[in-house]
Amino acid sequence: MSFQNPVFIPGPTNMPEAIRQACQMPTIDHRSPLFGDILHPCLEGVRKVLKSESAKVFIFPSTGTGGWETALSNTLDAGDKVLAARNGMFSHRWIDMCQRHSLDVQIVETPWGHGLPTEEYARILAADTNHEIAAVLATHNETATGVKSDIAAVRKALDDADHPALLFVDGVSSIASMDFRFDEWGVDVAVTGSQKGFMLPAGLAIVCFSEKAIAASKTATLPRTFFDIKDMQSGYDANAFPYTPPVGLMNGLKQSLEMLLDEGLENVFARHHRIAEGVRLAVAAWGLELCAATPDVYSDTVSTIRTPDGFNATDIVTHAADVYGVAFGVGLGEVAGKVFRIGHLGSLTDVMALSGLATAEMCMADLGMDIKLGSGVAAAQEFYRSNPALILTEAA
Ligand SMILES: *Cc1c(COP(=O)(O)O)cnc(C)c1O
């Protein structure tokens, strides 16, 4: 694998040099105001990225999966009812975690490639007149299928039913790359990690709680120790963690947040959308289809591409790594072998995306697929040429 080529997996994403350098720092006393100078800008910056005035941000040494566990274990009791849809590998894994935590999950099976079934959620919530459902899970962006869902519609389903359930949103592959509105959508717990939109190595779970979720944590009885937000808050009040924080990663997060906010959130989202549009046009020019069923659910951070029946899509990923030193994402779960994924999030430009498209074309042609070299690249080039990027003058 060449370290010179960008990666096109949907996380971990490419790391800008400034972030790598920020992660690499001397040891400091992690129970001192020096650490506070890293911690507090991180908490503040994440809140801004979520478009929230009041969310309580918690950062744990973990990954997105630990963020899921933080959401569940701090707010719920064993046996609590949770409503969730299964429309991909990540929603599936969060459901599995709920079950292992003795929660009673009402699962809405949803075809992979479709978004969250918000009408079905609305029907179920309206019928739950005793308010037995304690929490609703929503995966904002299904990284397995390249499908985004409408979180505002989930909030509306709750409000229309006048239902008090907490709304938990997995934003691991959307936050910091796609628009996320914690306050406006009435999110109660949002979960993300460091290695996707934040352009860092894996190692941080970033979890944000509403006042309502904090209130629920005061009486919730599921066991928690490492992920207890109360202990974490006491740590923060003294510029510390309850245990040893990953200081270098957090210094990297501080740098990442500065870069994202300097670029401007709306510019970051527009950049992701523009790059994604080029990728989608390339896929169409190849004569291939996305796993995402309809344009309203197309993800701006990852494209999951179906290959023809009888072709093993994973061969494209293996071949790209072996022959060209480039990483694409394999199909997961139900769509393993039927799709490959191009991740287009984090530190990426149109020019980098074109190199990925060119590589995918070489691989597909090498493996005997009916792909005209340059066809997808040309479609993306035409789009990028006629929709110029916002070029930032400061070195990014
Ligand atoms: C990557 C991802 C996760 C899992 O995160 P880890 O950091 O690997 O634990 C969860 N949900 C979604 C949507 C993801 O893309």
Side-chain angles (χ1 to χ4, degrees):
M1 184 66 63
S2 162
F3 289 124
Q4 282 184 296
N5 293 328
V7 294
F8 297 96
I9 45 177
T13 60
N14 299 294
M15 290 174 65
E17 189 57 26
I19 291 183
R20 287 181 52 183
Q21 301 218 358
C23 289
Q24 190 194 330
M25 60 174 285
T27 305
I28 61 163
D29 177 1
H30 61 276
R31 295 184 185 280
S32 75
L34 258 185
F35 178 62
D37 291 343
I38 297 172
L39 169 67
H40 295 294
C42 284
L43 303 177
E44 185 74 1
V46 168
R47 213 172 38 66
K48 284 187 185 148
V49 167
L50 291 176
K51 298 188 174 170
S52 177
E53 295 293 325
S54 57
K56 277 273 182 203
V57 178
F58 297 98
I59 300 173
F60 290 91
S62 184
T63 70
T65 305
W68 286 341
E69 188 162 332
T70 303
L72 305 179
S73 64
N74 279 279
T75 56
L76 299 173
D77 303 334
D80 270 356
K81 198 158 171 184
V82 169
L83 174 63
R86 175 154 48 205
N87 65 335
M89 198 61 189
F90 292 93
S91 42
H92 166 69
R93 286 180 45 210
W94 204 5
I95 288 169
D96 173 57
M97 178 183 279
C98 289
Q99 292 168 332
R100 295 198 211 183
H101 278 75
S102 312
L103 298 168
D104 171 15
V105 194
Q106 179 168 359
I107 304 171
V108 184
E109 296 294 349
T110 305
W112 288 35
H114 289 242
L116 290 176
T118 51
E119 281 172 19
E120 186 65 6
Y121 272 15
R123 200 190 56 70
I124 292 167
L125 290 165
D128 181 33
T129 46
N130 292 336
H131 296 165
E132 282 171 15
I133 296 170
V136 176
L137 306 192
T139 301
H140 185 207
N141 189 75
E142 237 312 338
T143 320
T145 55
V147 163
K148 80 166 174 218
S149 284
D150 186 350
I151 304 301
V154 179
R155 166 46 61 198
K156 186 166 183 303
L158 282 157
D159 288 351
D160 287 352
D162 220 349
H163 201 294
L166 295 164
L167 173 56
F168 296 167
V169 181
D170 174 345
V172 180
S173 63
S174 60
I175 288 171
S177 306
M178 287 159 54
D179 197 10
F180 194 97
R181 305 181 181 197
F182 188 92
D183 288 0
E184 191 183 313
W185 296 342
V187 176
D188 291 301
V189 184
V191 175
T192 188
S194 49
Q195 78 275 24
K196 297 188 184 171
F198 290 110
M199 308 171 280
L200 284 155
L204 301 177
I206 301 168
V207 199
C208 313
F209 279 62
S210 70
E211 271 170 36
K212 190 170 148 190
I214 298 272
S217 75
K218 311 243 190 260
T219 53
T221 55
L222 273 179
R224 56 192 180 270
T225 309
F226 189 80
F227 291 120
D228 196 320
I229 59 166
K230 184 161 167 278
D231 295 346
M232 191 51 93
Q233 186 58 55
S234 310
Y236 290 172
D237 294 343
N239 291 323
F241 268 33
Y243 33 72
T244 315
V247 177
L249 270 179
M250 293 184 62
N251 199 46
L253 178 61
K254 182 179 168 207
Q255 174 68 32
S256 162
L257 289 160
E258 278 170 19
M259 289 168 66
L260 289 164
L261 295 169
D262 276 356
E263 182 176 350
L265 287 180
E266 302 314 314
N267 294 333
V268 171
F269 304 148
R271 171 166 56 81
H272 280 81
H273 181 69
R274 176 175 174 275
I275 291 175
E277 285 282 303
V279 172
R280 290 189 278 263
L281 287 166
V283 172
W286 295 333
L288 298 178
E289 279 179 5
L290 293 171
C291 180
T294 47
D296 57 309
V297 300
Y298 289 169
S299 163
D300 282 342
T301 59
V302 54
S303 293
T304 299
I305 301 158
R306 290 187 188 280
T307 51
D309 282 347
F311 185 90
N312 182 6
T314 302
D315 288 347
I316 295 174
V317 178
T318 313
H319 187 81
D322 289 351
V323 178
Y324 300 109
V326 168
F328 295 109
V330 293
L332 301 174
E334 221 172 80
V335 291
K338 297 179 185 160
V339 302
F340 73 103
R341 295 178 297 156
I342 300 183
H344 35 77
L345 74 164
S347 179
L348 206 69
T349 64
D350 47 6
V351 172
M352 290 160 84
L354 287 169
S355 74
L357 296 174
T359 309
E361 286 180 353
M362 292 194 283
C363 294
M364 291 188 286
D366 292 349
L367 295 169
M369 277 174 66
D370 183 19
I371 295 287
K372 185 170 180 297
L373 288 180
S375 58
V377 171
Q381 284 171 320
E382 287 301 346
F383 178 77
Y384 295 147
R385 287 175 67 220
S386 51
N387 295 274
L390 175 77
I391 301 290
L392 298 172
T393 44
E394 268 182 87

